[in-house]
Amino acid sequence: MAETHYDLIIIGGGPAGLTAGMYASRARLNTVLVEKVATGGQILITDWIENYPGFPEGISGPDLSDKMLEQARQFDLQFEYGEVEKVELEGAVKSITIGDKVLTAKAVIITTGASPRSLHVGEEKFHGKGVSYCATCDGPFYKDKTVVAVGGGDTAVQESLYLTKFAKKVHLVHRRDQLRAAKILQERALANDKIDMVWDSVVTGMDGLFGVENVTVKNVKTNEETKIAAAGCFIWIGILPNTDFLGNALEMDEWNFIKADANMATSIPGVFAAGDVRSTPLRQIATAVGDSAIAAISAEHYIEGH
Amino acid sequence: MAETHYDLIIIGGGPAGLTAGMYASRARLNTVLVEKVATGGQILITDWIENYPGFPEGISGPDLSDKMLEQARQFDLQFEYGEVEKVELEGAVKSITIGDKVLTAKAVIITTGASPRSLHVGEEKFHGKGVSYCATCDGPFYKDKTVVAVGGGDTAVQESLYLTKFAKKVHLVHRRDQLRAAKILQERALANDKIDMVWDSVVTGMDGLFGVENVTVKNVKTNEETKIAAAGCFIWIGILPNTDFLGNALEMDEWNFIKADANMATSIPGVFAAGDVRSTPLRQIATAVGDSAIAAISAEHYIEGH
C-alpha cells in the first residue's frame, strides 16, 4: 500500500475541517484534509445563512463553502477524497486507511460533523421518491404540491419556511404542543398561512405507488391516526454524530459526540475534535470555526513538542 | 436617573459583542450593546485579516467591523455609548450605570476584550509622539524613517512586517533568542531585509526633545545598553483583559481574564463572558464569534427560564 506521511491529518471537510486546514497550513504544517464526498459538509444543504458574522447581506451555504475552500487552498492545504476504512490513533504515529492508501501523521483533527436522524418508519424506500432531509436540494420539486414536514427545532421551522416558497401547503408535524425553535422563527412560521401546525403528533408511516402519496400521522394524546395526502415528507428531527468509523477509540458523550476539552484535545494525545462532531452546547458555523482555530493551534503545539 | 429595562445587556462592541448582539436580537431578545468609544474593538487597529474563514481575499479590520455592525443592526440590536461606571450583577435584575443612565436587564454578556500591555519605561509621555501600539494607525507617519518594535509573538511579527511598508528599517527587540510567532510569520520576518532582529534584549527607556529620538535597549545576557536612533517605538508585548470595571464581582484566572464554562457562563448566574476577555487558549476573531454565539444562546435559555 502507498504510504504518505504528513504532520497533520484532518478528517472531514465541512466549515470545521476547512478552517482547521487553513489555520494549520498557514502555520506551515504539512496538512492533508480527508473528505468522503465533497467539501462543505452540512452547509452544502443550507440555502441561506444570515447569522455567520461578516455577511450582513447573508450568504448561501455553497457560496460560503466555496470561499472557505479557496481560502484553505491559498495556504497549500492538501486533499484526499475517499471513505476512511481504518484508523489507528494511539501512539506517536497515527494512521488512516482510505482505499489502497495509508496516510500517517503526528496528529489528527476529527471534524466529521453529524448527519440527520431518521424517523425509522421505513422512509428509506422513499429516498429520492418523496422523502428528503434537505429543502434546498428538493424543495423546488414540490411546486404547488402539499408536503409534510417533521420536527420543532430551528432547522425544522427554518426549512419549512423555505418550503413555502414552493409548496402550496406544509403540514408541520411536531410531537409537542409548542415549537422549540427560536422565537423569531416561531413567529414567522405561525404567521405563515402556508404552514399548518400538526401539534402533539408523530409520523408512523407513509405509502404510495411510485413515491410518497400519503403520510400517516398519529396524535400522541388521542392515539388517533390520520392520513395526510402529501407528495413529500421532509424530516428534521435531530442529528447523529459521524463517529461510527472510530469504534470505541475515543471517549464520547451519551449520544456518541466526541468529548474534547477547551483545547479541543480528546482522550488520546495528539487527537483533536472540532465542530458538530464534538460534544458541545451549540452547533453553528460560528462555533465550528472557533473550535477549529483552537484545534489547529493545539495540534501545532502538540506537533512542535513531539 | 433615567432607567431603561432590557432583556439583555452586552458590554463591549468588538467582534464578540457584535456577534452576541446579532444572535440575541435575532432570537428576539430586547438587547442593548454598551460600548465605551466605537464598535469594532481590537480589529479596528488590525490592518489585514487573512485567517477569518469566509474571506479568501482577506479583509481589513475596519471593513469586517463595519460588516458585523451592519449585520447586528439588521436584527434591531440597540446601542448605548459611554463608560460603564458601576455594575450590579448579582440577583435577578442586573444593572449598569453609564453617566446619568441606568440600564437594567435579566442577563449580561461581558465582551470587553483586552488591551495592549505597557512597557512601563515611561513611554506614556511619548504617546502620540512616537510611541504606538498600532502599526495600521501610525505606520504611515514613519515613511523612510527608522523605528523600534518590541515583542516576539504573532502580533509583533505581523505588525513589524506591516511597518516595513513604510519604515526604512525596523529593529525588532525581543527578550529571547528566537521568536514565538507562527513559523510562516517568522520566515517572512527573517527573510525581510528591512527587519533587524535585536535578540536577547529589552527596552529600558526612550528619549527625545519633541518626540522619540532614541530608544535604549539592554542586552539581558551581557547587561550592555545601546541607544538606537529611531523616530518611533511600536510595543507588542501582550494584552491585558479589560476587567478592572468589574472589581472582584466575578471569578477570574491568574491574569484577570474571566473564567467561563463551555456555555460561557461565569460564576454569577445570568452573567456570561465571551471573546478576548474570557480565559481561553486562543484569542482570534474566529474564537470570539464562536464564544459569542454560545453566550447569546445561553443567555436566551437563562432568560426564558427566569
Side-chain angles (χ1 to χ4, degrees):
Chain A
M1 279 198 179
E3 190 170 310
T4 317
H5 190 69
Y6 298 91
D7 292 324
L8 176 64
I9 297 168
I10 296 166
I11 309 176
L18 292 172
T19 297
M22 185 259 288
Y23 264 87
S25 301
R26 191 162 179 266
R28 286 284 169 111
L29 294 179
N30 181 21
T31 305
V32 64
L33 188 154
V34 178
E35 166 58 40
K36 194 162 61 175
V37 188
T39 54
Q42 286 274 104
I43 67 170
L44 287 183
I45 58 170
T46 305
D47 172 47
W48 200 247
I49 298 157
E50 62 181 16
N51 65 0
Y52 180 62
F55 295 89
E57 69 286 6
I59 184 165
S60 78
D63 281 353
L64 183 56
S65 171
D66 283 352
K67 283 178 185 287
M68 288 183 174
L69 178 60
E70 188 189 337
Q71 195 168 358
R73 281 201 169 126
Q74 280 178 6
F75 299 103
D76 299 326
L77 178 62
Q78 295 157 81
F79 293 85
E80 285 285 351
Y81 291 89
E83 182 116 29
V84 173
E85 285 158 19
K86 198 175 151 194
V87 291
E88 288 182 16
L89 300 177
E90 297 281 353
V93 179
K94 328 292 186 190
S95 84
I96 308 286
T97 306
I98 317 170
D100 60 353
K101 287 181 186 166
V102 176
L103 315 180
T104 60
K106 294 170 194 159
V108 171
I109 300 176
I110 300 165
T111 54
T112 43
S115 298
R117 189 184 290 270
S118 159
L119 280 176
H120 297 298
V121 297
E123 76 264 34
E124 296 75 17
K125 71 170 177 171
F126 291 110
H127 278 174
K129 293 173 191 163
V131 163
S132 175
Y133 306 89
C134 171
T136 310
C137 310
D138 301 325
F141 299 144
Y142 296 91
K143 196 165 185 322
D144 299 327
K145 293 185 176 165
T146 294
V147 298
V148 166
V150 192
D154 279 355
T155 303
V157 175
Q158 194 147 31
E159 296 282 83
S160 293
L161 284 162
Y162 180 75
L163 277 183
T164 62
K165 293 184 189 182
F166 308 100
K168 68 176 174 190
K169 182 63 79 181
V170 179
H171 298 282
L172 180 51
V173 178
H174 185 47
R175 62 167 65 239
R176 299 204 173 81
D177 61 1
Q178 59 178 40
L179 296 167
R180 281 183 298 109
K183 271 188 197 148
I184 195 168
L185 292 173
Q186 291 193 29
E187 287 169 12
R188 286 182 204 162
L190 299 176
N192 189 312
D193 60 13
K194 282 189 169 180
I195 294 181
D196 162 50
M197 290 304 313
V198 186
W199 300 114
D200 299 315
S201 297
V202 296
V203 168
T204 53
M206 49 191 80
D207 63 82
L209 198 54
F210 301 108
V212 173
E213 291 173 16
N214 298 290
V215 176
T216 306
V217 167
K218 184 174 83 172
N219 185 302
V220 293
K221 289 191 171 162
T222 64
N223 279 327
E224 193 187 343
E225 284 198 331
T226 318
K227 276 195 178 191
I228 300 175
C233 184
F234 287 78
I235 301 162
W236 301 296
I237 53 167
I239 54 166
L240 295 167
N242 297 325
T243 49
D244 285 355
F245 73 102
L246 291 168
N248 298 317
L250 291 172
E251 207 178 312
M252 313 273 195
D253 70 11
E254 58 186 304
W255 301 281
N256 278 329
F257 289 94
I258 300 171
K259 283 190 183 178
D261 65 14
N263 291 301
M264 305 301 145
T266 70
S267 54
I268 298 180
V271 179
F272 305 86
D276 285 2
V277 78
R278 186 170 82 95
S279 183
T280 173
L282 187 68
R283 293 187 172 84
Q284 291 279 298
I285 303 168
T287 55
V289 305
D291 276 13
S292 302
I294 294 172
I297 300 303
S298 294
E300 196 210 9
H301 291 175
Y302 173 84
I303 290 165
E304 291 299 317
H306 283 78
Chain B
M1 278 199 182
E3 189 170 312
T4 317
H5 189 70
Y6 298 91
D7 292 325
L8 176 64
I9 297 169
I10 296 166
I11 310 176
L18 292 172
T19 297
M22 186 259 289
Y23 264 85
S25 300
R26 191 162 180 265
R28 286 284 170 114
L29 295 180
N30 181 21
T31 305
V32 64
L33 188 154
V34 177
E35 166 57 39
K36 194 162 58 176
V37 187
T39 53
Q42 286 274 103
I43 66 169
L44 286 183
I45 57 170
T46 305
D47 173 49
W48 200 248
I49 298 157
E50 63 181 17
N51 64 0
Y52 181 63
F55 295 90
E57 69 286 4
I59 185 165
S60 77
D63 281 354
L64 183 55
S65 171
D66 283 352
K67 283 178 185 289
M68 289 181 173
L69 177 61
E70 188 188 336
Q71 196 168 357
R73 281 202 169 126
Q74 279 179 8
F75 299 104
D76 299 326
L77 178 61
Q78 296 155 81
F79 293 85
E80 285 285 351
Y81 292 89
E83 182 116 28
V84 173
E85 285 156 22
K86 199 174 151 194
V87 292
E88 290 182 15
L89 301 177
E90 298 281 355
V93 180
K94 327 293 187 188
S95 85
I96 307 286
T97 306
I98 317 170
D100 60 351
K101 287 181 186 167
V102 176
L103 315 180
T104 60
K106 294 170 193 158
V108 170
I109 301 177
I110 300 165
T111 54
T112 42
S115 299
R117 189 183 289 269
S118 159
L119 282 177
H120 297 298
V121 298
E123 75 265 35
E124 295 76 15
K125 69 171 176 170
F126 291 110
H127 278 174
K129 294 174 191 163
V131 163
S132 174
Y133 305 90
C134 171
T136 309
C137 312
D138 302 325
F141 299 145
Y142 296 91
K143 195 164 187 318
D144 298 327
K145 294 187 177 165
T146 294
V147 298
V148 166
V150 192
D154 279 356
T155 304
V157 175
Q158 195 147 31
E159 296 282 85
S160 293
L161 284 163
Y162 180 75
L163 276 184
T164 63
K165 293 184 188 180
F166 308 100
K168 68 177 175 191
K169 182 62 80 179
V170 179
H171 298 283
L172 179 51
V173 178
H174 185 46
R175 63 167 64 238
R176 298 204 176 81
D177 60 1
Q178 60 177 38
L179 296 167
R180 282 183 297 110
K183 272 188 195 148
I184 194 169
L185 292 173
Q186 291 192 27
E187 286 169 12
R188 286 183 203 160
L190 299 176
N192 189 312
D193 59 13
K194 282 189 171 181
I195 294 181
D196 163 49
M197 291 304 313
V198 185
W199 300 113
D200 299 315
S201 297
V202 295
V203 168
T204 53
M206 49 191 81
D207 62 81
L209 198 54
F210 301 108
V212 172
E213 290 172 15
N214 299 288
V215 176
T216 306
V217 167
K218 185 174 84 171
N219 185 301
V220 293
K221 289 190 171 162
T222 64
N223 279 325
E224 194 186 345
E225 284 199 329
T226 318
K227 277 196 179 189
I228 300 174
C233 184
F234 287 77
I235 301 163
W236 301 296
I237 53 167
I239 53 166
L240 294 167
N242 297 326
T243 50
D244 285 354
F245 74 102
L246 290 167
N248 298 316
L250 291 171
E251 206 177 312
M252 312 272 195
D253 71 10
E254 57 185 303
W255 301 281
N256 278 328
F257 288 95
I258 300 171
K259 283 191 184 177
D261 65 14
N263 291 302
M264 305 301 145
T266 69
S267 55
I268 299 180
V271 179
F272 304 86
D276 286 1
V277 79
R278 186 170 80 95
S279 184
T280 172
L282 187 68
R283 293 186 172 85
Q284 292 277 298
I285 303 168
T287 56
V289 305
D291 277 13
S292 302
I294 294 171
I297 300 303
S298 295
E300 197 209 9
H301 292 175
Y302 172 85
I303 290 164
E304 290 301 315
H306 283 78

